[in-house]
Amino acid sequence: MTAAEQKPDSRGRLSATDWEQAALEVLAQGGVAAVAVESLARTLGVTKGSFYWHFPTREALLKAAIDRWEQRDEDQVIAHVERIADPRERLRELFQRVSREVQSHLVYAALLQASDHPLVQPVIERISRRRLALLTAAYAEAGFEPRAARHRARLAYTAYSGFLQLNQRHGMPRMDQEEYQAYIDHVIETLVPA
Amino acid sequence: MTAAEQKPDSRGRLSATDWEQAALEVLAQGGVAAVAVESLARTLGVTKGSFYWHFPTREALLKAAIDRWEQRDEDQVIAHVERIADPRERLRELFQRVSREVQSHLVYAALLQASDHPLVQPVIERISRRRLALLTAAYAEAGFEPRAARHRARLAYTAYSGFLQLNQRHGMPRMDQEEYQAYIDHVIETLVPA
DNA sequence: TCGTGACCATACGCTCAAGTATGGAGCCAG
DNA sequence: CTGGCTCCATACTTGAGCGTATGGTCACGA
């Protein structure tokens, strides 16, 4: 209902960008395996013939879509958060952001699940390194020793990805909105120095 | 080198248990997708003909292997840890255990990655509930309010699975043994009350 | 020794999704 | 109005895995 009407330029024709957008949507929903060309074509109202005009292969689409997501993520998270002066406040903002910007985190969760895929492995590695460095820097600025900053950053980051892992489309008793906010508060209390 | 010689009863013949064991090994290594009958048959030195005598289908093998693992896990973790009286000591022991018993955790990590598989989903759900309950109880005994105990348990558990996620066969700068131990200490310090 | 049953090999068939080949509809420049 | 470019449909081929059909071998008991 949300992927059907993409952005027909004038009369139903599609562009490569349309495919990437749709790919990201089903990626967030059904994981990497759900990014199948015939299935995608159906949701876009066309057939494979269209796809293979825009992309040489399925991998190419996957790569393009993931690259696009990574770029957007870089801009949003890094830029908007890195300018917060106080490191404690910066850390709090980071944790809070998980609840908003759902789509982006869903994509990240999907990529985590497919981290053995040769195409996403380097992406996960880059993202991990970047976010870990961001956290480490924040903790260091907040007064942690270098070693302790690294450890606390790692703990925070693993808690983040573990949280994503255990929340989408499977196990774990669901939390309602209030319980969720209380949990976030607890995490901040525990992992961010007063 | 480790999966080739399983346990030929007398002369090269295999049993259903041998297949389950081998399945667990490649499951820990290559994930659920790596549990393929023809591939497994090759590593065991036989052909599919053998497999389909012991099991009606691939799913059956997967289920049997996972059940076996879950049973062993139940015995090892739950039984050996639950008898520790002091809740703080119990929590420390839990964290320490992640470094030993590597195989078991590797299987869990593989299952996490395939948590959308209809066969794996209920397993993950059960395991999650059990371990979460275990942690929650320990924190409650250690003096946490019920709500805080739940939150802290969830934080610890997500940190655990996130840690697994980001360490096997992909991303994240590797830690050496000493750094790893220091990290565990930091986690215990942070998440376990003094 | 004979035959029965446990275990395995060989050779198929079936399905699904990726990729290919080719042609057709619409539009725009000349 | 015509040729060419863009975007798409239809109909194929191909490869990987699962599952099936059928027969062979070896051990062991009667």
Side-chain angles (χ1 to χ4, degrees):
Chain A
M1 54 162 71
T2 148
E5 74 302 310
Q6 267 309 114
K7 183 180 63 184
D9 59 339
S10 55
R11 200 55 203 163
R13 321 294 281 262
L14 299 177
S15 78
T17 304
D18 295 326
W19 284 94
E20 298 172 15
Q21 221 76 39
L24 277 180
E25 229 148 290
V26 309
L27 177 60
Q29 237 55 38
V32 172
V35 182
V37 324
E38 285 169 318
S39 157
L40 259 181
R42 264 192 302 276
T43 75
L44 285 175
V46 292
T47 68
K48 320 166 36 161
S50 168
F51 174 83
Y52 284 102
W53 192 92
H54 297 284
F55 296 91
T57 170
R58 175 191 175 249
E59 300 280 287
L61 168 65
L62 220 58
K63 174 159 176 41
I66 293 177
D67 282 354
R68 165 176 299 269
W69 169 81
E70 191 179 0
Q71 187 57 46
R72 238 176 20 205
D73 182 79
E74 176 104 22
D75 298 346
Q76 287 186 358
V77 176
I78 308 290
H80 282 207
V81 163
E82 220 168 21
R83 67 181 51 174
I84 300 180
D86 180 37
R88 292 168 197 77
E89 200 48 54
R90 201 187 314 155
L91 286 167
R92 286 196 195 87
E93 175 63 16
L94 269 174
F95 284 111
Q96 294 285 4
R97 262 175 185 272
V98 182
S99 46
R100 298 185 292 280
E101 294 164 18
V102 190
Q103 151 97 11
S104 177
H105 293 283
L106 283 180
V107 171
Y108 179 66
L111 293 182
L112 267 182
Q113 293 231 142
S115 53
D116 55 335
H117 188 108
L119 214 71
V120 319
Q121 191 259 348
V123 180
I124 293 291
E125 193 157 339
R126 271 198 305 275
I127 299 275
S128 294
R129 234 186 280 279
R130 240 197 325 262
R131 298 193 176 177
L132 213 46
L134 193 77
L135 285 166
T136 306
Y139 276 117
E141 281 184 52
F144 278 60
E145 308 264 334
R147 195 183 178 86
R150 278 205 314 278
H151 290 333
R152 182 60 64 88
R154 183 181 289 270
L155 175 56
Y157 188 58
T158 53
Y160 160 68
S161 40
F163 180 80
L164 287 184
Q165 180 94 25
L166 295 171
N167 262 305
Q168 346 285 18
R169 67 172 147 271
H170 54 71
M172 298 290 273
R174 259 316 197 222
M175 289 188 292
D176 56 21
Q177 194 53 37
E178 181 213 344
E179 178 87 355
Y180 174 76
Q181 192 52 47
Y183 172 67
I184 295 288
D185 290 344
H186 179 90
V187 172
I188 293 179
E189 245 181 82
T190 308
L191 297 183
V192 178
Chain B
M1 54 161 81
T2 148
E5 74 302 309
Q6 265 311 113
K7 184 179 63 186
D9 59 339
S10 56
R11 201 55 203 161
R13 319 295 281 264
L14 299 176
S15 77
T17 305
D18 296 325
W19 283 95
E20 297 172 15
Q21 220 77 37
L24 277 180
E25 229 147 290
V26 309
L27 177 61
Q29 238 54 38
V32 172
V35 182
V37 325
E38 285 168 318
S39 157
L40 259 181
R42 265 192 301 277
T43 75
L44 285 175
V46 292
T47 67
K48 319 166 37 161
S50 168
F51 175 81
Y52 283 102
W53 193 91
H54 297 285
F55 296 91
T57 171
R58 176 194 174 243
E59 298 281 287
L61 168 66
L62 218 58
K63 176 161 176 39
I66 293 176
D67 283 355
R68 165 176 300 269
W69 168 80
E70 192 180 0
Q71 187 57 46
R72 241 181 13 210
D73 183 79
E74 177 104 22
D75 298 346
Q76 287 185 359
V77 176
I78 309 290
H80 282 207
V81 165
E82 221 168 20
R83 66 180 52 173
I84 300 181
D86 180 37
R88 291 168 197 77
E89 198 49 53
R90 201 187 312 152
L91 286 168
R92 286 197 195 87
E93 174 64 16
L94 269 174
F95 284 111
Q96 294 285 4
R97 264 176 184 272
V98 180
S99 47
R100 298 184 292 280
E101 297 164 15
V102 189
Q103 151 94 13
S104 177
H105 293 283
L106 283 178
V107 172
Y108 179 66
L111 293 182
L112 267 182
Q113 294 231 137
S115 53
D116 54 337
H117 187 109
L119 214 71
V120 176
Q121 192 257 349
V123 180
I124 293 293
E125 194 158 340
R126 270 199 305 275
I127 299 275
S128 294
R129 234 187 280 278
R130 237 192 333 256
R131 299 193 176 177
L132 214 45
L134 193 77
L135 285 167
T136 305
Y139 276 117
E141 282 183 49
F144 278 60
E145 309 265 333
R147 194 183 178 88
R150 276 205 317 278
H151 290 333
R152 182 61 62 89
R154 183 181 290 268
L155 175 55
Y157 187 58
T158 53
Y160 159 70
S161 39
F163 180 80
L164 287 184
Q165 181 95 26
L166 295 171
N167 263 303
Q168 349 285 15
R169 69 172 148 270
H170 56 72
M172 297 291 273
R174 258 323 198 215
M175 289 188 292
D176 58 20
Q177 195 53 38
E178 182 214 343
E179 178 86 356
Y180 174 75
Q181 192 54 45
Y183 172 66
I184 295 288
D185 290 343
H186 179 90
V187 172
I188 293 178
E189 245 180 81
T190 308
L191 297 184
V192 178

